[in-house]
Amino acid sequence: MRHFGHVTPVKRQRLFHREPGFFTSDSPARVLAAALGATLYSPATRPTLADDIVKQTTRGVVSMVLCLEDSIDDSEVVGAEKNLVRQFTDLATRPDTGELPLLFVRVRHPEQIPDLVRRLGPAARLLSGFVMPKFTEERGTPFLEALAAAEAESGRRLFAMPVLESPELLYRESRVETLEGISRAVDKYRDRVLALRLGVTDFCSSYGLRRAPDMTAYDVQVVASVIADVVNMLGRADGTGFTVTGPVWEYFRVQERMFKPQLRRSPFLEGEAEELRERLLEHAMDGLLREIALDQANGLMGKTCIHPSHVLPVHALSVVSHEEFSDAQDILRPERGGGGVLRSAYTNKMNEVKPHRAWAERTLLRAEVFGVAHEDIGFVELLTAGLPV
């Protein structure tokens, strides 16, 4: 699979200086963690789940979570498990589905992991791993142990994606201790922890809060402080950190605005895409785009999504610009190993080799999976090209 694989080759050539690379569910973990992109969640109760997965693949989705936890009622769990096994079996026996997204299952308790892997049987080959809710050292370690046992029994590589969303992580008096415990737990299973996911909706619920479509997670200070501390302790670029993904965006359509739209008109006028701008504003996408930009500025990569319309904006803003690529390449040239300062090829900034090295390495990894845009291509063109005809 590849990002923008649903776009025609002619369009890709027009958009990309360097096209997105191919990857599979067997690719190295560092590649898959960067490639997750917009991870689309779907309740495991959907009767057409197999068809939905195939459909979303044709729309550019490369990772999905099939949820047995908060998205379904407690009374539906048994039926949802049966449906999940049935739908996976259906997918596994189809002769012409092509490359499917990376598929994860969000479970409620550790015992579900080995049980589901056994029940899936041969269809477990389609499974990339499990999402583990309300993760702390105490609650999360049994999930990781269950994953290791299921992996050993099935012979299938399985990844963990813990969700950081517990009140202990939110409350200031217990936050550092909780983060230290999480760090111990995930470090022990480092090779199997693909990414850490942030459960911002649960954070907000602890204080009876809900951000409006005019606001991002970073405007809710009690939430922003948690994100900062998670990245500080678990997202470091010194080899000890993990990929941390951006929080979910809840809105599909906005009825009334309190503040001005957050999308400048000029990029859309230049791309003759004013109609696209109006559609984005109508569906509250200006807030989403701003939050994606803030995610990236704060060290997060990828995003949890609960609506298909959110996928393309995440991927369009994940493409590396030609300017970023040029700077990253200059910084990482072998002859620059001793450090120093150089002027950007775009003559608009300073590139300091040693301090910017980690950024450059991360940028080239993102370029590997999301591609590099042509010099004259911006996010408007990427959004427009990826929309269904």
Side-chain angles (χ1 to χ4, degrees):
M1 71 193 87
R2 71 194 305 195
H3 285 289
F4 292 88
H6 65 302
V7 173
T8 66
V10 172
K11 281 186 177 180
R12 280 202 307 274
Q13 289 174 9
R14 180 169 55 82
L15 293 171
F16 291 100
H17 168 73
R18 180 172 293 188
E19 291 193 21
F22 288 96
F23 57 93
T24 72
S25 57
D26 295 319
S27 293
R30 61 179 284 278
V31 173
L32 295 182
L36 285 169
T39 301
L40 184 64
Y41 275 55
S42 175
T45 51
R46 290 182 66 86
T48 58
L49 192 57
D51 290 334
D52 294 342
I53 291 170
V54 174
K55 178 181 178 181
Q56 295 307 327
T57 305
T58 65
R59 295 181 174 182
V61 173
V62 303
S63 65
M64 291 186 69
V65 172
L66 314 174
C67 186
L68 294 168
E69 207 228 356
D70 284 349
S71 69
I72 66 173
D73 190 85
D74 296 346
S75 63
E76 297 179 299
V77 176
V78 172
E81 289 180 343
K82 291 179 180 178
N83 184 60
L84 190 70
V85 172
R86 184 167 57 251
Q87 301 289 340
F88 262 74
T89 302
D90 177 7
L91 275 177
T93 55
R94 293 187 184 189
D96 57 351
T97 54
E99 191 73 50
L100 295 173
L102 304 171
L103 298 176
F104 301 85
V105 176
R106 178 169 171 164
V107 290
R108 293 182 171 221
H109 51 79
E111 294 75 21
Q112 284 178 298
I113 293 175
D115 179 59
L116 283 170
V117 171
R118 281 192 292 268
R119 289 163 67 182
L120 284 170
R125 65 180 176 81
L126 303 180
L127 184 64
S128 290
F130 291 89
V131 175
M132 303 167 176
K134 300 170 179 60
F135 194 95
T136 61
E137 182 179 27
E138 181 180 1
R139 289 194 295 269
T141 298
F143 280 101
L144 293 170
E145 292 171 345
L147 180 85
E151 184 178 67
E153 183 177 341
S154 67
R156 166 73 184 165
R157 181 180 72 165
L158 297 170
F159 286 112
M161 290 204 290
V163 186
L164 310 186
E165 56 187 345
S166 65
E168 300 97 313
L169 182 58
L170 180 62
Y171 300 150
R172 180 180 292 274
E173 67 271 19
S174 55
R175 184 179 304 170
V176 172
E177 182 181 354
T178 302
L179 280 169
E180 288 174 341
I182 292 171
S183 179
R184 287 191 295 268
V186 295
D187 189 61
K188 184 178 179 181
Y189 292 87
R190 174 171 293 276
D191 291 344
R192 288 297 170 261
V193 176
L194 190 61
L196 305 177
R197 311 200 72 90
L198 289 165
V200 164
T201 302
D202 279 44
F203 290 155
C204 288
S205 73
S206 296
Y207 288 91
L209 304 174
R210 185 173 191 177
R211 68 189 189 276
D214 295 303
M215 302 285 180
T216 71
Y218 302 92
D219 295 311
V220 183
Q221 290 301 300
V222 69
V223 170
S225 69
V226 183
I227 295 174
D229 286 344
V230 167
V231 174
N232 190 322
M233 294 186 68
L234 297 172
R236 298 177 186 179
D238 60 359
T240 66
F242 296 83
T243 295
V244 183
T245 65
V248 69
W249 182 258
E250 300 177 352
Y251 295 95
F252 323 137
R253 183 181 290 270
V254 59
Q255 302 299 328
E256 184 178 359
R257 290 183 177 274
M258 181 180 296
F259 301 108
K260 290 181 178 180
Q262 301 174 79
L263 276 181
R264 290 187 301 112
R265 179 171 271 106
S266 55
F268 293 86
L269 291 176
E270 293 168 7
E272 298 182 354
E274 180 67 11
E275 183 180 342
L276 172 60
R277 180 177 182 273
E278 293 304 318
R279 287 168 59 187
L280 292 172
L281 294 178
E282 179 185 356
H283 291 272
M285 295 295 187
D286 55 326
L288 170 62
L289 291 168
R290 180 168 178 262
E291 185 165 284
I292 295 167
L294 288 169
D295 287 340
Q296 294 175 354
N298 285 276
L300 309 185
M301 184 180 293
K303 199 166 186 66
T304 295
C305 294
I306 42 79
H307 195 273
S309 64
H310 299 167
V311 172
L312 182 56
V314 174
H315 292 170
L317 287 180
S318 296
V319 173
V320 173
S321 71
H322 188 273
E323 181 174 345
E324 290 175 311
F325 184 66
S326 173
D327 287 340
Q329 282 195 313
D330 283 347
I331 290 165
L332 295 177
R333 290 188 191 282
E335 63 269 25
R336 301 290 181 187
V341 178
L342 59 150
R343 186 176 63 171
S344 165
Y346 275 69
T347 68
N348 59 1
K349 73 177 74 64
M350 173 194 74
N351 287 328
E352 194 168 353
V353 173
K354 288 184 178 179
H356 289 145
R357 177 170 293 276
W359 169 86
E361 291 171 345
R362 185 170 182 169
T363 298
L364 291 189
L365 176 58
R366 184 158 55 92
E368 184 178 337
V369 292
F370 285 100
V372 179
H374 276 305
E375 191 171 355
D376 60 344
I377 295 295
F379 76 92
V380 173
E381 290 83 3
L382 291 162
L383 279 171
T384 305
L387 290 172
V389 178

